[in-house]
Amino acid sequence: MAHVQTVLGPVEKHSLGRIMPHEHLFSLVPGPWLTGGARDTHIELAVDALQGLPTAGFGTVVDLSPYGVVGRDIDGVNVEALAEVSRRTGLNIVAGSAVYLESFSPRWALDASLDDLAARFIADATSGIGSTSVSAGIFGEQATSLDQITAHEDKCLRAAARAAVETGLALATHTTHGTMALEQIQILRSEGIDLDRVVIGHMDTHADPTYVRRVLDQGVNIAIDTIGKQVWEFFLGPATHRDEGEFTKRSYFRSDEKRADLVAELIAEGHGDRITLALDLTGAEVWMNPTTHGQTGYSYLSEVFLPMLRDRGVTGDQCEQLITDNPARLLLVEGAS
């Protein structure tokens, strides 16, 4: 029977509700500073942040945090804490497994061969992430860099593809500002993955709608998944040593009005069954977006963005396809539940 693998075990489609398919529940604030360094409050913060979702019809949240970034530790052990968040909120939580950009990758991933990494991803899905018993329900967000795919990132993408083929799980990618999406698809196709099980991430951050359409034409799904994140910095690598004094940051702006325009246009063109929506909310970036994520948090998608789509002629049924049917299709895998 088809099921979705959550951090508390397999569940059937009818229990999913609306779905947030790309979030990072333990990245709502950077570190344990709220307790003066005494303890990390990530579980409590996640529980509080999620409380508006059930009343809006959401039943499932996907935590697409790769090893070592956005709240996931380098060995994946703290995915066990997602189970506690699930129990407290009543929400289904699905854990992803992936390795992020080369500049953020753990040493073990940098040293691993392609075969070793594929085996680890397969084990993450079949026996548990790292040393835990919490199984991954999707692979991702598997990342490539700005305007390039390094040899390490190629290795990781191929490993995730091989694991997806072996396990039947879907694969969600990270594109840096939408770049290298077509190159990702070329690599994934060469590994024999069903492109219907692939989600190319962050396509709303690419400035050229024509490019987004070229990606869709390849037969993949795309994620419009930084909704509400209108301003962000270029996070291309960990902070390094800086000289004292003034330095320059690179930043980017993408309005939600343009995101809504793009989604409405793509739906009108017949692509509504290939689009997912998410916020990719992180505390490190909320301060740059005080009128979006900073006001309504995880409720922004249903309270603000969906009405923006309705104003552009997207029907209620089409909205439900984006936030319920499409992500459910990607999360479902065949097997005994």
mmCIF file of all heavy atoms in Angstrom, residues 173-194:
data_model
loop_
_atom_site.group_PDB
_atom_site.id
_atom_site.type_symbol
_atom_site.label_atom_id
_atom_site.label_comp_id
_atom_site.label_asym_id
_atom_site.label_seq_id
_atom_site.Cartn_x
_atom_site.Cartn_y
_atom_site.Cartn_z
ATOM 1 N N THR A 173 15.867 19.091 -5.001
ATOM 2 C CA THR A 173 17.167 19.731 -5.107
ATOM 3 C C THR A 173 17.132 21.161 -4.590
ATOM 4 O O THR A 173 16.075 21.760 -4.408
ATOM 5 C CB THR A 173 17.680 19.749 -6.564
ATOM 6 O OG1 THR A 173 16.974 20.753 -7.318
ATOM 7 C CG2 THR A 173 17.538 18.390 -7.219
ATOM 8 N N HIS A 174 18.330 21.680 -4.367
ATOM 9 C CA HIS A 174 18.551 23.100 -4.100
ATOM 10 C C HIS A 174 19.335 23.660 -5.271
ATOM 11 O O HIS A 174 20.410 23.159 -5.607
ATOM 12 C CB HIS A 174 19.355 23.275 -2.806
ATOM 13 C CG HIS A 174 19.960 24.646 -2.645
ATOM 14 N ND1 HIS A 174 19.402 25.620 -1.838
ATOM 15 C CD2 HIS A 174 21.080 25.201 -3.180
ATOM 16 C CE1 HIS A 174 20.156 26.707 -1.879
ATOM 17 N NE2 HIS A 174 21.177 26.471 -2.698
ATOM 18 N N THR A 175 18.781 24.687 -5.915
ATOM 19 C CA THR A 175 19.549 25.459 -6.874
ATOM 20 C C THR A 175 19.883 26.791 -6.229
ATOM 21 O O THR A 175 19.036 27.384 -5.552
ATOM 22 C CB THR A 175 18.779 25.709 -8.181
ATOM 23 O OG1 THR A 175 17.603 26.470 -7.886
ATOM 24 C CG2 THR A 175 18.391 24.404 -8.846
ATOM 25 N N THR A 176 21.086 27.256 -6.399
ATOM 26 C CA THR A 176 21.455 28.550 -5.836
ATOM 27 C C THR A 176 21.021 29.636 -6.805
ATOM 28 O O THR A 176 21.547 29.740 -7.914
ATOM 29 C CB THR A 176 22.967 28.623 -5.580
ATOM 30 O OG1 THR A 176 23.333 27.563 -4.681
ATOM 31 C CG2 THR A 176 23.344 29.948 -4.939
ATOM 32 N N HIS A 177 19.971 30.361 -6.400
ATOM 33 C CA HIS A 177 19.352 31.400 -7.218
ATOM 34 C C HIS A 177 18.855 30.852 -8.550
ATOM 35 O O HIS A 177 18.868 31.547 -9.568
ATOM 36 C CB HIS A 177 20.313 32.575 -7.432
ATOM 37 C CG HIS A 177 20.659 33.271 -6.163
ATOM 38 N ND1 HIS A 177 21.458 34.377 -6.094
ATOM 39 C CD2 HIS A 177 20.313 33.019 -4.877
ATOM 40 C CE1 HIS A 177 21.598 34.772 -4.839
ATOM 41 N NE2 HIS A 177 20.893 33.949 -4.088
ATOM 42 N N GLY A 178 18.421 29.610 -8.532
ATOM 43 C CA GLY A 178 17.829 29.014 -9.718
ATOM 44 C C GLY A 178 18.813 28.553 -10.765
ATOM 45 O O GLY A 178 18.401 28.003 -11.797
ATOM 46 N N THR A 179 20.106 28.733 -10.528
ATOM 47 C CA THR A 179 21.093 28.378 -11.541
ATOM 48 C C THR A 179 21.384 26.885 -11.529
ATOM 49 O O THR A 179 21.181 26.209 -10.523
ATOM 50 C CB THR A 179 22.413 29.148 -11.330
ATOM 51 O OG1 THR A 179 23.038 28.706 -10.102
ATOM 52 C CG2 THR A 179 22.180 30.644 -11.262
ATOM 53 N N MET A 180 21.843 26.369 -12.660
ATOM 54 C CA MET A 180 22.286 24.988 -12.833
ATOM 55 C C MET A 180 21.146 23.978 -12.776
ATOM 56 O O MET A 180 21.377 22.775 -12.633
ATOM 57 C CB MET A 180 23.374 24.609 -11.812
ATOM 58 C CG MET A 180 24.533 25.596 -11.745
ATOM 59 S SD MET A 180 25.256 26.007 -13.355
ATOM 60 C CE MET A 180 25.991 24.461 -13.831
ATOM 61 N N ALA A 181 19.921 24.437 -12.926
ATOM 62 C CA ALA A 181 18.791 23.513 -12.890
ATOM 63 C C ALA A 181 18.831 22.540 -14.060
ATOM 64 O O ALA A 181 18.619 21.332 -13.883
ATOM 65 C CB ALA A 181 17.476 24.290 -12.897
ATOM 66 N N LEU A 182 19.084 23.030 -15.245
ATOM 67 C CA LEU A 182 19.135 22.152 -16.414
ATOM 68 C C LEU A 182 20.296 21.170 -16.305
ATOM 69 O O LEU A 182 20.180 20.004 -16.706
ATOM 70 C CB LEU A 182 19.243 22.980 -17.689
ATOM 71 C CG LEU A 182 18.003 23.823 -18.021
ATOM 72 C CD1 LEU A 182 18.287 24.719 -19.219
ATOM 73 C CD2 LEU A 182 16.789 22.944 -18.285
ATOM 74 N N GLU A 183 21.399 21.620 -15.735
ATOM 75 C CA GLU A 183 22.543 20.729 -15.538
ATOM 76 C C GLU A 183 22.236 19.671 -14.478
ATOM 77 O O GLU A 183 22.652 18.512 -14.618
ATOM 78 C CB GLU A 183 23.773 21.543 -15.152
ATOM 79 C CG GLU A 183 24.350 22.409 -16.267
ATOM 80 C CD GLU A 183 23.604 23.725 -16.476
ATOM 81 O OE1 GLU A 183 22.631 24.000 -15.730
ATOM 82 O OE2 GLU A 183 23.982 24.480 -17.386
ATOM 83 N N GLN A 184 21.512 20.053 -13.436
ATOM 84 C CA GLN A 184 21.064 19.055 -12.460
ATOM 85 C C GLN A 184 20.237 17.972 -13.146
ATOM 86 O O GLN A 184 20.440 16.769 -12.913
ATOM 87 C CB GLN A 184 20.212 19.724 -11.376
ATOM 88 C CG GLN A 184 20.954 20.544 -10.356
ATOM 89 C CD GLN A 184 20.032 21.035 -9.254
ATOM 90 O OE1 GLN A 184 18.825 20.809 -9.296
ATOM 91 N NE2 GLN A 184 20.603 21.699 -8.263
ATOM 92 N N ILE A 185 19.314 18.384 -13.978
ATOM 93 C CA ILE A 185 18.430 17.435 -14.650
ATOM 94 C C ILE A 185 19.230 16.496 -15.544
ATOM 95 O O ILE A 185 18.960 15.288 -15.604
ATOM 96 C CB ILE A 185 17.353 18.184 -15.457
ATOM 97 C CG1 ILE A 185 16.433 18.951 -14.496
ATOM 98 C CG2 ILE A 185 16.540 17.220 -16.311
ATOM 99 C CD1 ILE A 185 15.528 19.952 -15.175
ATOM 100 N N GLN A 186 20.222 17.027 -16.220
ATOM 101 C CA GLN A 186 21.057 16.188 -17.081
ATOM 102 C C GLN A 186 21.760 15.095 -16.273
ATOM 103 O O GLN A 186 21.810 13.933 -16.685
ATOM 104 C CB GLN A 186 22.086 17.055 -17.804
ATOM 105 C CG GLN A 186 22.960 16.300 -18.795
ATOM 106 C CD GLN A 186 23.922 17.228 -19.530
ATOM 107 O OE1 GLN A 186 23.999 18.424 -19.261
ATOM 108 N NE2 GLN A 186 24.663 16.664 -20.468
ATOM 109 N N ILE A 187 22.291 15.471 -15.115
ATOM 110 C CA ILE A 187 22.950 14.496 -14.246
ATOM 111 C C ILE A 187 21.951 13.461 -13.747
ATOM 112 O O ILE A 187 22.206 12.245 -13.786
ATOM 113 C CB ILE A 187 23.636 15.211 -13.062
ATOM 114 C CG1 ILE A 187 24.818 16.042 -13.558
ATOM 115 C CG2 ILE A 187 24.085 14.210 -12.002
ATOM 116 C CD1 ILE A 187 25.392 16.987 -12.517
ATOM 117 N N LEU A 188 20.802 13.921 -13.277
ATOM 118 C CA LEU A 188 19.804 13.014 -12.732
ATOM 119 C C LEU A 188 19.276 12.058 -13.806
ATOM 120 O O LEU A 188 19.085 10.865 -13.561
ATOM 121 C CB LEU A 188 18.659 13.816 -12.116
ATOM 122 C CG LEU A 188 19.037 14.677 -10.902
ATOM 123 C CD1 LEU A 188 17.862 15.550 -10.484
ATOM 124 C CD2 LEU A 188 19.504 13.815 -9.745
ATOM 125 N N ARG A 189 19.071 12.575 -14.998
ATOM 126 C CA ARG A 189 18.595 11.722 -16.090
ATOM 127 C C ARG A 189 19.622 10.636 -16.395
ATOM 128 O O ARG A 189 19.255 9.479 -16.656
ATOM 129 C CB ARG A 189 18.315 12.576 -17.323
ATOM 130 C CG ARG A 189 17.773 11.759 -18.498
ATOM 131 C CD ARG A 189 17.576 12.596 -19.738
ATOM 132 N NE ARG A 189 16.401 13.470 -19.630
ATOM 133 C CZ ARG A 189 16.454 14.793 -19.641
ATOM 134 N NH1 ARG A 189 17.623 15.412 -19.708
ATOM 135 N NH2 ARG A 189 15.355 15.503 -19.561
ATOM 136 N N SER A 190 20.900 10.986 -16.350
ATOM 137 C CA SER A 190 21.938 10.003 -16.647
ATOM 138 C C SER A 190 21.991 8.888 -15.615
ATOM 139 O O SER A 190 22.518 7.807 -15.891
ATOM 140 C CB SER A 190 23.308 10.689 -16.747
ATOM 141 O OG SER A 190 23.796 11.073 -15.468
ATOM 142 N N GLU A 191 21.437 9.137 -14.405
ATOM 143 C CA GLU A 191 21.400 8.122 -13.361
ATOM 144 C C GLU A 191 20.125 7.295 -13.394
ATOM 145 O O GLU A 191 19.912 6.437 -12.542
ATOM 146 C CB GLU A 191 21.567 8.777 -11.989
ATOM 147 C CG GLU A 191 22.939 9.387 -11.757
ATOM 148 C CD GLU A 191 24.051 8.341 -11.696
ATOM 149 O OE1 GLU A 191 23.737 7.163 -11.413
ATOM 150 O OE2 GLU A 191 25.214 8.696 -11.936
ATOM 151 N N GLY A 192 19.264 7.559 -14.353
ATOM 152 C CA GLY A 192 18.093 6.723 -14.547
ATOM 153 C C GLY A 192 16.912 7.024 -13.655
ATOM 154 O O GLY A 192 15.964 6.232 -13.591
ATOM 155 N N ILE A 193 16.918 8.158 -12.986
ATOM 156 C CA ILE A 193 15.804 8.480 -12.106
ATOM 157 C C ILE A 193 14.588 8.902 -12.920
ATOM 158 O O ILE A 193 14.710 9.499 -14.000
ATOM 159 C CB ILE A 193 16.213 9.597 -11.106
ATOM 160 C CG1 ILE A 193 15.178 9.723 -9.984
ATOM 161 C CG2 ILE A 193 16.396 10.935 -11.818
ATOM 162 C CD1 ILE A 193 15.630 10.652 -8.858
ATOM 163 N N ASP A 194 13.410 8.572 -12.437
ATOM 164 C CA ASP A 194 12.161 9.022 -13.040
ATOM 165 C C ASP A 194 12.015 10.512 -12.734
ATOM 166 O O ASP A 194 11.863 10.898 -11.570
ATOM 167 C CB ASP A 194 11.003 8.215 -12.454
ATOM 168 C CG ASP A 194 9.651 8.629 -13.012
ATOM 169 O OD1 ASP A 194 9.588 9.556 -13.838
ATOM 170 O OD2 ASP A 194 8.642 8.020 -12.588
#
